[in-house]
């Protein structure tokens, strides 16, 4: 029965599901978290397949691979330029919109005068609303 499905179509289905999960979650999940959620709709999926597809999607520019100081790679469904806020208590990552003034300020740093800067990254740390209200 499995043979009626062309392999490339199955691969596309897997990739679409993985993309949909990363975009829907907004929590910047790790490969492991995506795997556990994807498995509910595709029980035969392996962690290796999820990882490969995440890397491919990032290469295609459909998602972004991000790395924060806690270690491993996480995946971001928002590909437009933006900043991050990380809660020091629960580790929750939220998206912060980039403003032109902030970007200008970052690029205008005097130490960068003799360097060619293409990009920058800013991470804010603190307590998220959930942790603050506890
Ligand atoms: Zn928190
Ligand atoms: Zn993000």
């Amino acid at each position: 029965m499995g043979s009626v499905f062309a392999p490339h179509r199955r691969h596309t289905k897997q990739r679409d599901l993985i993309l949909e999960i990363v975009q829907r979650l907004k929590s910047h999940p790790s490969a492991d978290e995506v795997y556990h959620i994807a498995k509910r709709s595709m029980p035969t999926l392996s962690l290796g397949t999820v990882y490969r597809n995440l890397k491919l999607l990032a290469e295609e520019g459909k998602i972004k691979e991000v790395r924060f100081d806690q270690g491993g790679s996480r995946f971001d469904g928002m590909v437009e330029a933006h900043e991050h806020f990380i809660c020091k208590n629960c580790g929750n990552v939220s998206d912060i919109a980039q403003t032109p003034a902030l970007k200008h300020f970052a690029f205008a740093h005097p130490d960068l005068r003799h360097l060619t800067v293409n990009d920058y990254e800013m991470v804010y740390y603190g307590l998220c609303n959930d942790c603050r209200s506890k």
Side-chain angles (χ1 to χ4, degrees):
M1 188 190 130
S3 60
V4 289
F5 296 104
H8 72 269
R9 190 180 296 166
R10 201 183 64 209
H11 289 161
T12 307
K13 249 179 90 182
Q14 289 173 340
R15 198 171 310 169
D16 287 350
L17 174 70
I18 290 162
L19 176 63
E20 196 262 319
I21 290 169
V22 175
Q23 286 174 337
R24 179 164 44 86
L25 281 181
K26 307 209 185 309
S27 60
H28 307 74
S30 64
D32 216 49
E33 287 169 307
V34 175
Y35 166 66
H36 285 290
I37 294 165
K39 241 177 114 73
R40 288 181 212 150
S41 3
M42 273 187 201
T44 56
L45 213 58
S46 73
L47 178 59
T49 303
V50 170
Y51 197 71
R52 252 195 326 277
N53 278 291
L54 285 167
K55 289 278 184 188
L56 265 165
L57 287 164
E59 274 169 35
E60 290 168 4
K62 290 183 178 142
I63 60 171
K64 272 206 292 203
E65 185 172 351
V66 284
R67 220 172 252 275
F68 303 116
D69 58 356
Q70 295 99 322
S73 286
R74 298 176 63 152
F75 297 89
D76 196 339
M78 196 193 216
V79 288
E80 303 83 52
H82 64 283
E83 319 294 349
H84 290 107
F85 173 89
I86 302 179
C87 176
K88 278 286 194 186
N89 189 54
C90 67
N92 193 55
V93 180
S94 356
D95 292 324
I96 305 291
Q98 197 179 60
T99 66
L102 197 64
K103 192 173 178 182
H104 176 81
F105 185 73
F107 277 78
H109 195 292
D111 288 354
L112 303 172
R113 260 191 317 235
H114 307 295
L115 302 166
T116 305
V117 185
N118 301 312
D119 204 3
Y120 81 103
E121 215 166 77
M122 205 177 271
V123 182
Y124 299 85
Y125 294 97
L127 285 177
C128 72
N129 285 333
D130 284 350
C131 292
R132 202 174 48 189
S133 58
K134 266 175 202 156

